[in-house]
């Protein structure tokens, strides 16, 4: 039993002939007859009977036609509701972000969307390994994700990608460190230092592995910590150096830390918005994407 069959049955009751139904619905009389026959096979009582040249509804047919009218009306209401939902600027939007993105972007985003008529944002932090970000789009409307330049690309056959930033990871030094006055540092400069870095599978650990490979020396990794605010605090304490993202770590920086570019190694990561393609058809979702792009542009400040 399908909706278009119920619609034909309703029209038959109103119009009294297969030909009239066909003309109203812009189909052939044969198509109408076939669909009514298929509908008849799905129920055990006769739905129509002949009256001269006309085909009219039985009492059971009229009951089903009335019920079908209610179904058709409910479907129309559902289509209207989903259309309003897709077009609503205030529909809820769920957003997940890795930790440094959340530290840098969530509060400005909440302020920007605080005015009436803005989407209702629901924020969550999900700091996963790079390859696990696409799967989060099954749980959130938007996912802030990062990957290193040399990492596998996002699976664009499954997720839509909106670029936000191309961010370097810089070497974070205590302000009094012997290298703090240099404009930049190399792998040989820093490889022997005591390090705080991330767990394996995350951007800082990838960069630090490249430092070891370029200098052909073992690393002295003291701490493995993913949270950049904790990394910054340990660097500021003066016992270790680390890697911090140039733009998104700004909320956790203080005068006791200096950031230096690392020369000779690719340290840039791509920060992107990932989403299921259908979610980007919603007005409220696109409004959040636009707001994130505005905030990131201000954070980067024209740097690249």
């Amino acid at each position: 039993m399908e909706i278009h069959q119920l619609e034909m049955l309703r029209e038959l009751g109103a119009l009294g002939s297969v030909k009239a139904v066909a003309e109203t619905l812009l189909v052939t009389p044969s198509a109408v007859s076939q669909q009514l026959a298929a509908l008849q096979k799905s129920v055990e009582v006769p739905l129509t009977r002949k009256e001269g040249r006309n085909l009219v509804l039985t009492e059971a047919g009229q009951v089903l036609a009335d019920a079908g009218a209610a179904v058709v009306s409910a479907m129309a209401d559902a289509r209207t509701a989903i259309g309003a939902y897709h077009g609503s600027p205030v529909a809820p939007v769920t957003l997940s972000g890795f930790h440094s993105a959340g530290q840098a972007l969530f509060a400005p985003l909440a302020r920007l969307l605080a005015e009436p008529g803005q989407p209702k944002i629901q924020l969550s932090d999900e700091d996963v390994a790079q390859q696990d970000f696409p799967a989060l789009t099954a749980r959130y409307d938007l996912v802030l994700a990062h990957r290193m330049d040399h990492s596998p690309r996002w699976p664009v056959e499954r997720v839509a990608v909106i670029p936000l930033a191309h961010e370097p990871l810089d070497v974070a030094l205590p302000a009094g460190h012997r290298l703090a006055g240099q404009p930049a540092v190399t792998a040989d400069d820093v490889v022997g230092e005591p390090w705080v870095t991330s767990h394996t599978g995350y951007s800082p650990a990838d960069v630090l592995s490249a430092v070891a490979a370029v200098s052909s020396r073992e690393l002295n990794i003291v701490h493995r910590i993913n949270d950049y605010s904790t990394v910054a605090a340990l660097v500021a304490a003066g016992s270790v150096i680390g890697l911090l993202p140039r733009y998104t770590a700004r909320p956790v920086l203080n005068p006791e830390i200096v950031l230096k570019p690392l020369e000779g190694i690719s340290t840039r990561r791509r920060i992107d918005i990932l989403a299921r393609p259908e979610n980007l058809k919603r007005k409220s979702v696109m409004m959040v994407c636009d707001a994130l792009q505005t905030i990131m542009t201000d954070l980067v400040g024209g740097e690249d």
Side-chain angles (χ1 to χ4, degrees):
M1 190 178 298
E2 300 179 7
I3 290 176
H4 66 277
Q5 295 171 344
L6 296 174
E7 189 173 14
M8 288 180 177
L9 188 69
R10 180 182 66 170
E11 295 299 343
L12 180 62
L15 300 174
S17 75
V18 169
K19 180 181 179 182
V21 173
E23 291 174 349
T24 299
L25 299 181
L26 302 177
V27 296
T28 65
S30 175
V32 174
S33 297
Q34 289 174 7
Q35 292 301 318
L36 291 175
L39 178 61
Q40 179 63 73
K41 290 180 180 179
S42 68
V43 297
E44 297 178 352
V45 295
L47 299 176
T48 62
R49 68 173 187 273
K50 279 282 193 177
E51 280 191 1
R53 294 186 176 180
N54 292 333
L55 189 66
V56 299
L57 301 186
T58 63
E59 289 187 8
Q62 189 61 58
V63 168
L64 184 57
D66 291 342
V71 171
V72 172
S73 177
M75 286 301 298
D77 289 343
R79 292 189 187 98
T80 299
I82 197 65
Y85 174 69
H86 273 251
S88 171
V90 298
V93 177
T94 56
L95 169 66
S96 89
F98 56 95
H99 290 160
S100 58
Q103 288 171 339
L105 303 178
F106 279 2
L109 182 65
R111 285 194 293 269
L112 196 59
L113 300 181
E115 298 297 322
Q118 297 294 322
K120 294 176 173 54
I121 193 75
Q122 298 170 6
L123 303 172
S124 183
D125 60 335
E126 293 276 2
D127 206 2
V128 299
Q130 295 175 34
Q131 69 270 15
D132 295 329
F133 280 111
L136 294 178
T137 60
R139 295 164 49 196
Y140 300 97
D141 296 320
L142 298 172
V143 174
L144 290 171
H146 64 84
R147 67 173 182 85
M148 298 302 292
D149 277 347
H150 57 270
S151 299
R153 295 180 180 272
W154 304 121
V156 294
E157 70 279 1
R158 292 193 289 116
V159 297
V161 180
I162 299 176
L164 272 186
H166 196 203
E167 180 180 43
L169 296 182
D170 291 334
V171 176
L173 303 168
H177 194 276
R178 61 182 177 82
L179 299 173
Q182 296 186 188
V185 295
T186 67
D188 287 336
D189 289 332
V190 297
V191 66
E193 297 288 326
W195 284 90
V196 53
T197 191
S198 66
H199 294 278
T200 302
Y202 295 81
S203 301
D206 287 350
V207 173
L208 206 53
S209 294
V211 168
V214 168
S215 61
S216 300
R217 293 174 59 187
E218 290 188 8
L219 298 166
N220 178 16
I221 297 176
V222 180
H223 312 295
R224 285 196 179 273
I225 295 171
N226 280 4
D227 178 61
Y228 283 131
S229 60
T230 306
V231 171
L234 287 170
V235 171
S239 59
V240 291
I241 69 172
L243 289 163
L244 290 175
R246 185 175 298 175
Y247 313 133
T248 53
R250 286 175 181 169
V252 302
L253 294 180
N254 62 63
E256 297 176 340
I257 299 172
V258 294
L259 297 184
K260 297 297 175 180
L262 180 59
E263 293 184 338
I265 292 175
S266 174
T267 68
R268 286 182 179 264
R269 66 178 184 177
R270 296 183 182 274
I271 300 177
D272 300 312
I273 303 171
L274 306 184
R276 295 284 177 89
E278 62 269 22
N279 287 338
L280 297 184
K281 298 182 184 298
R282 291 168 46 199
K283 183 173 182 178
S284 59
V285 169
M286 289 308 300
M287 289 173 68
V288 174
C289 290
D290 291 343
L292 286 169
Q293 289 176 311
T294 297
I295 294 166
M296 184 60 81
T297 296
D298 291 343
L299 190 64
V300 172
E303 248 188 281
D304 193 0

